[in-house]
Amino acid sequence: MSGLNASLGYFVALVIFAASVRTLLKKWSQLSFVLEFASSFMLVGCWLEVQTIVEVGQWAGGLGPDVTVTILFVVLLTHGVVCGGASGNPNQVVLRFLQLEASILPTLLSVVSQFLGAHLAIHIATYYWSLELTDMHMIKNLMASSCSTSLLVSLPQGFFTECVCACIFHLVHLNLRRRSALIRVPLIAVLLTFLSHTASVFTSAYINPSLSYGLTFHCPGFTLTEYMVVYWLGPLTGMILGLFLYMGHIPRIFAKNLLYSQKTRFRAPKGDKAEKKKM
């Protein structure tokens, strides 16, 4: 239990950092890329600790799978509440670009900031483990140089898994984006937790390029190119497919709707039609 208490303190510190950045920069929308940096930093930093609990906690701290799944859900829920519109996911930034909701420069700044946040989170987590506050973290510190990859299947299977999970996620996200945050944030957290738990024997379904960079790219077993194909190209393909299925076209690339007919959503009331006939 002491290991869990130390992890809780670590989580709280990251949440306070992200919340502070959001509060300080709330009035400066032109600095949204800094919010993406903080969002990615918090997400990757927290998930690295969740990964530690999954790998070591069961036999070093007596923490079973039910505890780790619950912790992951709470982390994702807290991330959604604290970071708001800053997703910490490069694919969602690119999605806004493809929907003509953002220009090229803010998109590039946000993506770069997200990867910088993920990179910093790796160093902070490594330093935190080196303190060896608990037996769990002592073991993790010893294992840090030889971590286990999250990619447990072949490249085609991994690509397909990330692509399908990303497509499902973005379809749900697009349908929920105009709903109240009270509904949207918990549902997204549940979906991400479910996808990650279900795909844990395949790729862990990170569906987030900066997150996968922080969690598994430094682990031996595959080359950088192979990781990029699975964890960057796979989710990007799934995101584009999800957007196409949702809208019937990709606004940034082509305007013609290939899936859905363009019907008028608003019809004139019958009373108006009757008046026009009398005139």
Side-chain angles (χ1 to χ4, degrees):
M1 186 59 74
S2 60
L4 196 57
N5 291 336
S7 297
L8 180 60
Y10 172 78
F11 290 140
V12 170
L14 295 181
V15 170
I16 291 174
F17 171 78
S20 300
V21 172
R22 183 185 180 188
T23 302
L24 292 172
L25 301 179
K26 194 173 184 179
K27 296 181 179 179
W28 290 281
S29 58
Q30 65 270 25
L31 296 178
S32 60
F33 65 92
V34 182
L35 297 177
E36 291 293 349
F37 169 86
S39 176
S40 180
F41 173 77
M42 174 189 165
L43 182 63
V44 175
C46 288
W47 208 308
L48 281 167
E49 184 66 2
V50 172
Q51 196 177 59
T52 299
I53 296 172
V54 171
E55 293 175 349
V56 185
Q58 187 169 359
W59 51 277
L63 304 175
D66 55 334
V67 176
T68 57
V69 170
T70 303
I71 293 174
L72 179 58
F73 169 73
V74 173
V75 164
L76 291 170
L77 181 63
T78 305
H79 179 265
V81 172
V82 172
C83 297
S87 63
N89 187 340
N91 279 346
Q92 288 189 250
V93 175
V94 174
L95 178 66
R96 291 197 293 269
F97 173 74
L98 293 177
Q99 290 183 289
L100 305 178
E101 295 178 2
S103 57
I104 184 67
L105 183 58
T107 300
L108 289 175
L109 285 173
S110 294
V111 171
V112 171
S113 298
Q114 288 166 339
F115 278 99
L116 288 175
H119 190 71
L120 178 61
I122 296 173
H123 290 287
I124 294 298
T126 303
Y127 172 75
Y128 165 66
W129 296 329
S130 69
L131 298 176
E132 299 185 355
L133 299 177
T134 66
D135 292 341
M136 180 175 69
H137 296 108
M138 179 184 67
I139 296 171
K140 178 62 179 180
N141 188 44
L142 294 173
M143 296 169 55
S145 59
S146 57
C147 60
S148 301
T149 178
S150 299
L151 182 55
L152 304 177
V153 292
S154 65
L155 255 64
Q157 289 176 310
F159 176 88
F160 179 76
T161 301
E162 288 291 314
C163 180
V164 170
C165 290
C167 182
I168 294 171
F169 167 73
H170 286 289
L171 274 174
V172 173
H173 182 267
L174 286 166
N175 278 283
L176 293 176
R177 63 186 307 186
R178 288 183 173 82
R179 296 292 183 92
S180 168
L182 291 175
I183 298 174
R184 184 182 69 255
V185 173
L187 287 180
I188 292 297
V190 169
L191 176 62
L192 288 174
T193 305
F194 171 77
L195 290 175
S196 177
H197 181 68
T198 304
S200 60
V201 295
F202 301 101
T203 64
S204 292
Y206 294 134
I207 56 177
N208 179 334
S210 60
L211 178 63
S212 58
Y213 166 77
L215 295 184
T216 198
F217 271 42
H218 57 286
C219 296
F222 295 90
T223 65
L224 177 62
T225 303
E226 290 171 332
Y227 276 130
M228 290 171 65
V229 168
V230 173
Y231 288 107
W232 290 5
L233 187 58
L236 179 63
T237 304
M239 180 271 289
I240 294 174
L241 179 59
L243 178 60
F244 177 71
L245 292 175
Y246 177 76
M247 300 187 69
H249 66 115
I250 311 294
R252 180 69 66 175
I253 301 174
F254 59 93
K256 183 179 180 181
N257 197 314
L258 302 179
L259 295 181
Y260 311 112
S261 60
Q262 300 296 320
K263 295 182 179 179
T264 304
R265 293 186 177 184
F266 302 99
R267 298 181 180 179
K270 293 182 178 179
D272 293 347
K273 291 181 179 180
E275 289 179 6
K276 289 181 180 179
K277 287 181 179 179
K278 290 179 180 179
M279 293 175 63

